[in-house]
């Protein structure tokens, strides 16, 4: 690596680190122990304002789609551009790097694009509600932009905090959610899309490699099982006379582990949310709600596990004199990355001379929705011990600077061919 390249990488590392630092500050998170920001809360608005200032300083125009997804571009609408970006909302127990590192690295790519006199046509997107921390629906902004949602589904989406509708919150924030279908125009000019993101697993960490080129993104199904039992006195009700909703939830949780392991092929299942009603120490739970998160790169295996765990919950509840009802939130199929983009990233990574590997993504990403319309790719950088969705999440801006170089190099090759 020449001195010039070394200095450039150092400069990019410093700017990425500085942007992460700013967006980890108290103005940009509502939690003092984690990063917590999501659609329409002040901390998320401040994040978009920070990005708008930075992109405008580079001569980009900035606009939002009808629900608040952020879009910055260095060309007029109607001109072919290459798409980069990610999301800058966070999990409610979020770290500083999930999503945000991809957006500030896209910003850095735009700085490099100008400093190196390349002037490639670029469009940066920071998707709304990738995590679903505000409304319980992951990839909401990208599903809207890609048209992978219906009016009926949107009408049923309510805020976790106050049960008001997604549309009410979007309108209060100054958007026009009824025009949500117009969001698709922001994908029309894209000739391709690359998202940089932390791996959120530990493959790169364990291999001590700074770059992963994503081959496919695991599909996922999210849903909720509502269990109806009977609330009873915890002391006066004999064990055999109970309709204990908590026991149905507990049996179902253990069964989900068994089914996911038995399915193999990297299939995973998680019960991340569990609420009991009425939720008092001396009352046998009469109700329960548990979330189901089943994922894998093999759609058939995911469908079988989901089918079997719902049937198990229904049987378990009936066997105790109660009932269980499943309601799906969303299903996004496993998504292969585009081979021409993967090849361009592979050639660029080779030219960079640093270790890298091709690998699947266990985590879901907005790229899955963009892929429904345009050729897409993803570049992973490691996070320490694979920890993510936790304030302990740590990644390295020097790895992101390397990912920026590889991505910019690949974009040059790809638009040269467009
Ligand atoms: O859960 C996910 O896959 C993503 O990080 N929201
Ligand atoms: Mn993410
Ligand atoms: Mn996440």
């Amino acid at each position: 690596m020449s001195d010039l390249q070394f200095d450039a990488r150092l400069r990019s590392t410093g700017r990425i680190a500085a942007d992460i630092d700013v967006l980890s500050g108290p103005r940009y998170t509502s939690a003092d122990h984690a990063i917590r920001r999501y659609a329409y809360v002040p901390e998320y608005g401040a994040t978009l304002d920070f990005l708008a200032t930075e992109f405008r300083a580079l001569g980009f125009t900035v606009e939002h789609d009808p629900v608040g997804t952020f879009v910055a571009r260095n060309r007029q609408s109607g001109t072919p551009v290459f798409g980069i970006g990610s999301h800058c909302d966070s999990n409610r127990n979020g770290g500083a790097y999930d999503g945000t590192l991809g957006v500030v690295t896209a910003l850095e790519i735009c700085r490099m694009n100008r400093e190196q006199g390349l002037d490639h046509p670029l469009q940066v997107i920071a998707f709304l509600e990738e995590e679903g921390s505000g409304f319980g629906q992951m990839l909401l902004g990208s599903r809207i932009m890609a048209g992978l949602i219906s009016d009926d589904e949107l009408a049923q989406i309510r805020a976790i905090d106050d049960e008001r509708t997604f549309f009410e919150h979007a309108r209060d924030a100054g958007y026009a959610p009824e025009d949500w279908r117009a969001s698709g125009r922001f994908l029309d000019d894209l000739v391709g899309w690359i998202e940089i993101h932390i791996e959120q697993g530990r493959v790169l960490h364990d291999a001590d490699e700074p770059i992963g080129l994503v081959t496919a993104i695991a599909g996922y199904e999210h849903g909720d099982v509502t269990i109806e039992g009977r609330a009873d006195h915890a002391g006066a009700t004999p064990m055999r006379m109970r309709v204990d909703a908590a026991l149905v939830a507990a049996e179902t949780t253990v069964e989900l582990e068994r089914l996911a392991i038995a399915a193999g092929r990297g299939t995973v299942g998680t019960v991340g949310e569990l609420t009991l009603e009425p939720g008092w120490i001396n009352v046998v739970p009469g109700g329960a709600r548990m979330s189901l998160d089943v994922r894998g790169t093999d759609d058939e295996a995911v469908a079988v596990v989901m089918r079997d765990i719902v049937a198990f919950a229904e049987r378990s509840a009936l066997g105790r004199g109660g009932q269980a009802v499943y309601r799906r939130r969303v299903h996004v199929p496993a998504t292969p990355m585009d081979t021409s983009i993967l090849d361009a990233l592979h050639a660029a990574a080779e030219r960079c001379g640093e270790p890298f590997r091709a690998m699947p993504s266990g985590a879901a990403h907005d790229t899955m929705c963009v892929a429904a319309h345009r050729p897409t790719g993803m570049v992973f950088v490691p996070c320490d011990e694979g920890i993510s969705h936790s304030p302990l999440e740590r990644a390295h801006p020097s790895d992101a600077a390397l990912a920026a170089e590889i991505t910019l190099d690949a974009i040059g090759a790809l638009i040269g061919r467009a």
Side-chain angles (χ1 to χ4, degrees), residues 87 98 130-131 138-139 197 200 293 295 362-365 389:
H87 64 94
D98 176 359
E130 187 277 347
E131 288 291 346
M138 254 175 35
L139 311 190
H197 202 286
Q200 299 179 295
D293 172 318
R295 311 195 193 198
H365 298 284
H389 285 185

Side-chain angles (χ1 to χ4, degrees), residues 25-335:
R27 186 148 171 248
Y28 302 95
T29 172
S30 60
D32 49 18
H33 70 290
I35 301 296
R36 180 177 298 166
R37 53 175 176 255
Y38 44 87
Y40 313 134
V41 299
E43 297 77 11
Y44 186 71
T47 303
L48 297 189
D49 292 344
F50 169 81
L51 293 170
T53 304
E54 292 298 314
F55 279 104
R56 287 190 180 113
L58 292 173
F60 280 62
T61 56
V62 172
E63 51 186 313
H64 292 188
D65 86 342
V67 295
T69 283
F70 174 96
V71 181
R73 41 187 300 148
N74 65 358
R75 291 292 190 283
Q76 291 290 331
S77 172
T79 315
V81 284
F82 200 94
I84 51 177
S86 187
H87 64 94
C88 54
D89 64 315
S90 78
N91 189 278
R92 288 206 176 210
N93 185 49
Y97 300 89
D98 176 359
T100 304
L101 185 66
V103 175
V104 300
T105 305
L107 169 60
E108 181 55 25
I109 287 172
C110 297
R111 294 183 184 118
M112 294 158 71
N113 187 43
R114 187 160 83 157
E115 283 170 359
Q116 297 173 24
L118 300 172
D119 191 29
H120 293 324
L122 298 174
Q123 174 174 292
V124 179
I125 304 177
F127 286 103
L128 185 88
E129 276 297 278
E130 187 277 347
E131 288 291 346
S133 296
F135 297 87
Q137 287 277 341
M138 254 175 35
L139 311 190
L140 183 55
S142 49
R143 284 158 58 202
I144 286 172
M145 188 171 280
L148 300 176
I149 198 163
S150 68
D151 284 309
D152 287 351
E153 288 169 315
L154 278 171
Q156 294 175 45
I157 297 175
R158 293 183 174 276
I160 293 168
D161 291 336
D162 64 12
E163 287 288 309
R164 290 174 67 234
T165 68
F166 172 63
F167 272 31
E168 283 170 321
H169 277 274
R171 283 194 198 99
D172 288 354
Y175 296 109
E178 57 284 351
D179 299 338
W180 69 272
R181 288 187 187 284
S183 173
R185 70 180 176 87
F186 289 106
L187 297 177
D188 290 349
D189 298 337
L190 294 193
V191 296
W193 163 269
I194 294 174
E195 177 175 7
I196 295 168
H197 202 286
I198 55 172
E199 179 201 335
Q200 299 179 295
R202 51 178 309 146
V203 169
L204 295 176
H205 171 84
D206 290 346
D208 194 21
E209 291 168 352
I211 294 292
L213 304 182
V214 175
T215 53
I217 305 173
Y220 73 97
E221 177 162 340
H222 276 181
D224 301 90
V225 178
T226 303
I227 302 162
E228 211 179 296
R230 193 185 63 231
D232 279 313
H233 193 292
T237 312
M239 292 309 285
R240 297 239 175 265
M241 291 177 65
R242 296 177 177 211
V243 187
D244 186 336
L247 291 176
V248 175
E251 284 180 328
T252 304
T253 304
V254 173
E255 177 66 5
L256 178 59
E257 178 192 39
R258 190 192 69 76
L259 287 169
I261 292 170
R265 289 166 283 182
T267 310
V268 292
T270 311
V271 174
E273 298 171 17
L274 175 59
T275 52
L276 298 177
E277 294 297 335
W280 302 114
I281 187 169
N282 57 358
V283 181
V284 175
R289 179 191 67 82
M290 58 194 295
S291 62
L292 296 180
D293 172 318
V294 180
R295 311 195 193 198
T297 48
D298 182 317
D299 285 331
E300 170 64 18
V302 169
V304 166
V305 168
M306 196 44 109
R307 178 200 67 198
D308 291 354
I309 196 60
V310 169
F312 179 91
E314 288 164 348
R315 280 196 311 275
S316 166
L318 282 175
R320 293 172 182 276
Q323 74 161 3
V325 176
Y326 172 69
R327 187 159 175 269
R328 174 190 275 190
R329 285 195 211 177
V330 59
H331 170 252
V332 180
T335 309

